[in-house]
């Protein structure tokens, strides 16, 4: 019998191919490089690899601007290389998820080249065009990477919409032919063996509710509404996508959804609605920024906020829907530098953060290097950064009169390049990532933080993650158990239980670099407790009714209900 819910029991590993492993010395990671490291991933124990875009692209946004959805970027290799990669992965029992980037394409895609030729071109309506004065964009919407969402095109004297960079024009999902093109492309990859898709900003594809029709702009009657994602039409499109494509294959799907709340996410992920398996949401990723400000406006994380937020998602998607669990990805800084301690307690705090996340209900995602505790980077000047979002913010804030140290402090904390420095494989030049000059400088701490060192150390973060993955495979309670927050008011401890029938896991994490005391919950027996995993040696003979925790101490005890 086919297991259509295999993704609930899986652990996903995200590869950012440009930074993972370079096989040919050009300084850019590639598909053959990934092939050479599959034994490493198999040893870690992951079930699925999510591969960030490897399609043809001019690289305005590091591959998230696609010029050909059915071909491979030259820098990464060839279609034959990709076919060899997926064959090797499947042979090793690892599934492959591809990135699906269909809110927008590249302005160098054949569709857009046709679309901008004339107002009556058959592909004009593949994108979103509006008339407007050359100096006045159709609406006041702001793009994700800064500036207006509208770009004036001299060729036809109209504006096209781009929610991200101006080289990323938005596709018009109201056009049935656009949707058919997308579904055909998805089937192309699924027929080649792909096991699912991570869908880039998928909840932004519907804009009709907020953007007046073309004729209203011509007639001067358009009303400028603020744009918000999660339009009701989103569900029509996702259900159609499921009906036309996804339902015909045994896939895993995760939608990246900006500004989505738990109620909306439940609609997208409830199995009876036939849309997606899970979403990436960002609420917990905004807890260390000032309310109502941008991600660059920093504030310290309050653990009480994190407990409340993650617990809310656990509770609201517990019966209907499904959670994705992540700390890191290619857009987020390194979690050990962000919420942990990347100095004295780097190893201990990285293990704590891993345990806290992996014992929750949902599908965990590991980002390359997380399993060895890679840290944020602090380049001396903005000139060493590559990320378009970082560079645009720097230039904007310099123009607004911000002082240089404050701007750089924000970059050190939140730049996407924190996650994009090359994977640290060993202590040789460029961390063993390349024999050439890396496209982005390697973090100088590679001599002490690298995979080779981690594999030699039985007490490393790598083996802690390996054990977390193994526990998910061995214990149904980790996959299906009910989540309940405990020690709710404790300012330093994030603790919760997972319960399935008479089995209870007590998951305790000291989130800070000071000692704390955990009081055992009265409704759970610890008489026959078994320690499944911990980041310090754990003494089961101690008095478990009141446990004194060391800095960043973390453990999981398997117990039973009283």
């Amino acid at each position: 019998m086919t297991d259509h819910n295999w993704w609930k029991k899986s652990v996903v590993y995200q590869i950012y191919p440009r930074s993972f492993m370079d096989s040919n010395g050009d300084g850019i990671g590639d598909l053959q490089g990934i092939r050479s490291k599959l034994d490493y991933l198999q040893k870690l124990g992951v079930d699925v690899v999510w591969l960030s875009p490897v399609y043809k692209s001019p690289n305005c946004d590091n591959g998230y601007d696609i010029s050909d959805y059915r071909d491979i970027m030259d820098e990464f290799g060839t279609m034959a290389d990709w076919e060899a990669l997926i064959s090797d992965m499947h042979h090793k029992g690892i599934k492959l998820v591809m990135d699906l980037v269909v809110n927008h394409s590249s302005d160098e895609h054949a569709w857009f080249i046709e679309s901008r030729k004339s107002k009556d071109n058959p592909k004009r309506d593949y994108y979103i065009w509006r008339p407007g004065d050359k100096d006045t964009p159709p609406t006041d919407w702001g793009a994700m990477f800064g500036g207006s969402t509208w770009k004036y095109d001299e060729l036809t004297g109209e504006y096209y919409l781009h929610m991200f960079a101006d080289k990323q024009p938005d596709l018009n999902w109201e056009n049935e032919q656009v949707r058919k093109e997308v579904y055909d492309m998805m089937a192309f990859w699924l027929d080649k063996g792909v096991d699912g898709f991570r869908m880039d900003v998928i909840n932004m594809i519907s804009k009709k509710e907020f953007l007046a029709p073309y004729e209203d702009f011509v007639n001067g009657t358009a009303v400028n509404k603020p744009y918000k994602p999660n339009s009701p039409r989103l569900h029509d499109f996702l259900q159609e996508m499921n009906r036309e494509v996804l339902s015909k294959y045994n896939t895993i799907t995760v939608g990246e959804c900006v500004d989505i709340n738990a109620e909306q996410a439940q609609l997208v992920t409830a199995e009876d609605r036939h849309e997606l398996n899970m979403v990436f949401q960002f609420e917990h990723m905004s807890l260390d920024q000032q309310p109502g400000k941008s991600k660059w406006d920093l504030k310290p994380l309050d653990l009480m906020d994190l407990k409340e937020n993650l617990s809310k998602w656990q509770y609201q998607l517990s019966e209907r829907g499904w959670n994705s669990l992540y700390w890191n990805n290619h857009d987020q800084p390194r979690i050990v530098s962000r919420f942990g301690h990347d100095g004295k307690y780097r190893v201990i705090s990285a293990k704590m953060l891993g345990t806290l996340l992996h014992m929750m209900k949902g599908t965990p995602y590991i980002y390359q290097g997380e399993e060895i505790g890679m840290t944020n980077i602090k380049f001396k000047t903005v000139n060493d950064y590559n990320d378009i979002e970082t560079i645009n913010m720097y230039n904007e804030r310099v123009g607004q009169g911000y002082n240089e140290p404050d701007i750089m402090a924000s970059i050190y904390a939140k730049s996407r390049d924190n996650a994009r420095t090359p994977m640290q494989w060993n202590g040789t030049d460029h961390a063993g990532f390349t024999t050439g000059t890396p496209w982005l400088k390697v973090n100088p701490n590679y001599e002490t933080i690298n995979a080779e060192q981690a594999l030699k150390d039985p007490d490393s973060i790598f083996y802690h993650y390996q054990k977390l993955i193994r526990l998910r495979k061995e214990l149904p309670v980790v996959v299906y158990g009910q989540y309940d927050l405990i020690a709710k008011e404790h300012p330093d401890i994030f603790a919760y239980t997972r319960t399935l029938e008479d089995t209870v896991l007590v998951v305790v994490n000291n989130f800070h670099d000071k000692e704390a005391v955990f009081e055992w919950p009265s409704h759970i027996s610890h008489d026959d407790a078994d320690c499944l995993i911990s980041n310090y040696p754990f003494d089961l003979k101690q008095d478990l009714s009141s446990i004194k925790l060391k800095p960043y101490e973390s453990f999981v005890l398997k117990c039973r209900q009283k």
Side-chain angles (χ1 to χ4, degrees):
M1 183 176 172
T2 303
D3 181 4
H4 288 284
N5 286 337
W6 57 268
W7 40 269
K8 290 186 176 181
K9 294 168 274 190
S10 297
V11 175
V12 185
Y13 187 96
Q14 183 191 356
I15 288 179
Y16 192 70
R18 178 166 294 272
S19 298
F20 192 65
M21 182 64 197
D22 172 25
S23 71
N24 61 4
D26 66 356
I28 297 168
D30 49 45
L31 297 173
Q32 289 292 352
I34 298 169
R35 282 186 75 194
S36 73
K37 297 297 184 181
L38 291 181
D39 286 346
Y40 172 84
L41 298 178
Q42 190 177 39
K43 186 178 183 71
L44 183 59
V46 296
D47 307 279
V48 183
V49 163
W50 153 29
L51 191 60
S52 286
V54 293
Y55 314 98
K56 287 278 191 198
S57 168
N59 262 333
C60 159
D61 186 24
N62 282 354
Y64 283 89
D65 49 317
I66 297 169
S67 55
D68 189 339
Y69 287 103
R70 300 185 187 220
D71 203 356
I72 301 296
M73 193 189 304
D74 293 342
E75 292 172 334
F76 294 149
T78 64
M79 186 64 81
D81 292 329
W82 181 90
E83 289 166 347
L85 173 63
I86 193 171
S87 175
D88 286 358
M89 289 175 65
H90 285 169
H91 182 70
K92 292 179 183 296
I94 300 172
K95 297 180 185 295
L96 178 62
V97 162
M98 294 281 275
D99 233 303
L100 185 75
V101 188
V102 290
N103 174 71
H104 49 266
S105 75
S106 166
D107 64 348
E108 297 182 31
H109 193 289
W111 298 340
F112 189 74
I113 291 169
E114 285 297 311
S115 181
R116 66 186 294 238
K117 281 182 177 177
S118 67
K119 293 180 184 178
D120 57 2
N121 188 283
K123 288 193 167 51
R124 182 68 167 185
D125 196 43
Y126 271 40
Y127 296 85
I128 298 172
W129 294 90
R130 292 293 184 271
D133 182 270
K134 185 174 182 179
D135 299 318
T136 310
T139 72
D140 62 3
W141 296 358
M144 292 286 189
F145 295 159
S148 172
T149 59
W150 297 97
K151 174 77 179 285
Y152 187 77
D153 193 51
E154 297 278 0
L155 209 58
T156 56
E158 290 193 339
Y159 285 88
Y160 66 84
L161 181 71
H162 62 90
M163 298 305 290
F164 293 86
D166 61 11
K167 285 184 66 63
Q168 294 170 292
D170 280 41
L171 288 161
N172 178 18
W173 272 73
E174 298 299 328
N175 184 322
E176 185 179 355
Q177 189 59 32
V178 166
R179 303 199 301 275
K180 184 178 185 307
E181 297 262 23
V182 169
Y183 304 155
D184 287 350
M185 176 266 290
M186 292 170 67
F188 167 82
W189 287 106
L190 289 164
D191 288 340
K192 290 179 78 66
V194 166
D195 300 288
F197 296 103
R198 175 268 186 186
M199 303 183 184
D200 189 63
V201 293
I202 196 66
N203 66 329
M204 293 178 67
I205 58 177
S206 177
K207 303 175 180 76
K208 186 176 181 180
E209 184 177 355
F210 312 103
L211 186 62
Y214 185 90
E215 295 73 22
D216 290 0
F217 283 89
V218 174
N219 298 329
T221 56
V223 176
N224 185 19
K225 294 182 183 177
Y227 170 74
K228 296 178 182 176
N230 307 302
S231 166
R233 284 280 281 159
L234 169 69
H235 302 291
D236 296 337
F237 296 150
L238 291 179
Q239 286 169 11
E240 181 183 68
M241 177 191 288
N242 192 298
R243 189 168 60 249
E244 297 296 320
V245 188
L246 298 173
S247 62
K248 300 173 184 177
Y249 303 85
N250 189 9
T251 60
I252 176 174
T253 53
V254 54
E256 180 194 31
C257 294
V258 296
D259 294 332
I260 196 169
N261 61 37
E263 291 78 15
Q264 293 163 333
Q266 191 182 86
L267 294 177
V268 174
T269 64
E271 288 186 44
D272 60 349
R273 289 178 53 81
H274 306 292
E275 296 187 21
L276 304 179
N277 299 147
M278 64 195 100
V279 301
F280 286 137
Q281 54 85 18
F282 297 96
E283 285 186 0
H284 65 306
M285 294 285 100
S286 64
L287 297 177
D288 57 353
Q289 72 190 47
Q290 294 178 31
K293 299 288 188 72
S294 82
K295 78 176 198 178
W296 306 105
D297 298 300
L298 310 176
K299 84 171 186 67
L301 174 72
D302 184 333
L303 178 61
M304 303 303 279
D305 292 341
L306 184 68
K307 289 202 284 189
E308 180 184 4
N309 184 265
L310 292 183
S311 297
K312 176 187 76 174
W313 282 86
Q314 286 287 301
Y315 288 129
Q316 294 203 20
L317 269 66
S318 63
E319 301 301 324
R320 193 164 183 251
W322 192 254
N323 273 298
S324 66
L325 308 171
Y326 76 95
W327 286 132
N328 301 269
N329 60 38
H330 63 289
D331 286 334
Q332 299 293 340
R334 294 286 179 180
I335 197 61
V336 73
S337 296
R338 187 178 191 177
F339 291 169
H341 189 296
D342 61 11
K344 177 181 177 182
Y345 296 109
R346 182 184 67 86
V347 172
I348 290 291
S349 66
K351 290 179 181 180
M352 179 276 290
L353 289 162
T355 300
L356 196 162
L357 192 81
H358 279 248
M359 288 296 108
M360 287 187 171
K361 188 175 184 179
T363 299
Y365 288 74
I366 300 168
Y367 179 71
Q368 63 186 47
E370 177 185 344
E371 76 283 2
I372 60 171
M374 282 179 62
T375 67
N376 282 357
I377 185 70
K378 290 185 177 180
F379 292 132
K380 287 183 180 177
T381 76
V382 74
N383 298 327
D384 286 329
Y385 287 85
N386 173 275
D387 173 38
I388 185 173
E389 182 189 40
T390 299
I391 294 165
N392 285 354
M393 182 280 287
Y394 177 89
N395 291 331
E396 275 186 17
R397 293 205 164 184
V398 166
Q400 293 165 356
Y402 283 71
N403 70 57
E404 177 95 4
D406 286 347
I407 299 174
M408 294 308 293
S410 293
I411 289 173
Y412 293 155
K414 292 292 188 73
S415 172
R416 300 192 300 180
D417 280 344
N418 283 309
R420 299 178 182 186
T421 58
M423 178 71 179
Q424 294 163 210
W425 291 108
N426 56 47
T428 64
D429 288 351
H430 307 309
F433 163 71
T434 182
T435 57
T437 303
W439 73 278
L440 186 65
K441 288 182 179 179
V442 174
N443 194 316
N445 62 19
Y446 72 88
E447 292 182 357
T448 53
I449 302 173
N450 61 67
E452 184 178 72
Q453 181 275 331
L455 290 172
K456 289 177 182 175
D457 177 7
D459 199 34
S460 69
I461 301 164
F462 179 93
Y463 290 115
H464 191 86
Y465 268 71
Q466 183 190 65
K467 192 169 186 179
L468 289 168
I469 293 167
R470 190 166 67 244
L471 288 172
R472 180 167 291 270
K473 296 187 195 314
E474 293 173 352
L475 300 174
V477 65
V478 179
V479 181
Y480 301 110
Q482 174 186 316
Y483 170 97
D484 284 296
L485 183 67
I486 55 177
K488 185 176 180 181
E489 303 304 324
H490 201 296
D492 299 309
I493 294 174
F494 194 148
Y496 57 88
T497 58
R498 298 291 308 284
T499 307
L500 186 66
E501 297 170 347
D502 60 349
T503 300
V504 185
L505 301 185
V506 180
V507 184
V508 180
N509 304 280
N510 182 1
F511 208 82
H512 295 136
D513 62 350
K514 57 186 178 183
E515 292 183 341
V517 176
F518 173 70
E519 302 294 345
W520 191 267
S522 59
H523 64 287
I524 299 169
S525 170
H526 53 64
D527 291 347
D528 302 311
D530 181 25
C531 183
L532 300 180
I533 191 167
S534 63
N535 61 353
Y536 288 92
F538 191 84
D539 181 11
L540 281 168
K541 295 178 182 177
Q542 67 180 300
D543 179 7
L544 297 182
S545 61
S546 182
I547 305 172
K548 189 175 184 181
L549 303 176
K550 301 177 182 70
Y552 295 110
E553 184 166 5
S554 172
F555 57 82
V556 180
L557 298 189
K558 183 181 176 185
C559 308
R560 56 183 171 80
Q561 299 267 35
K562 273 191 176 176

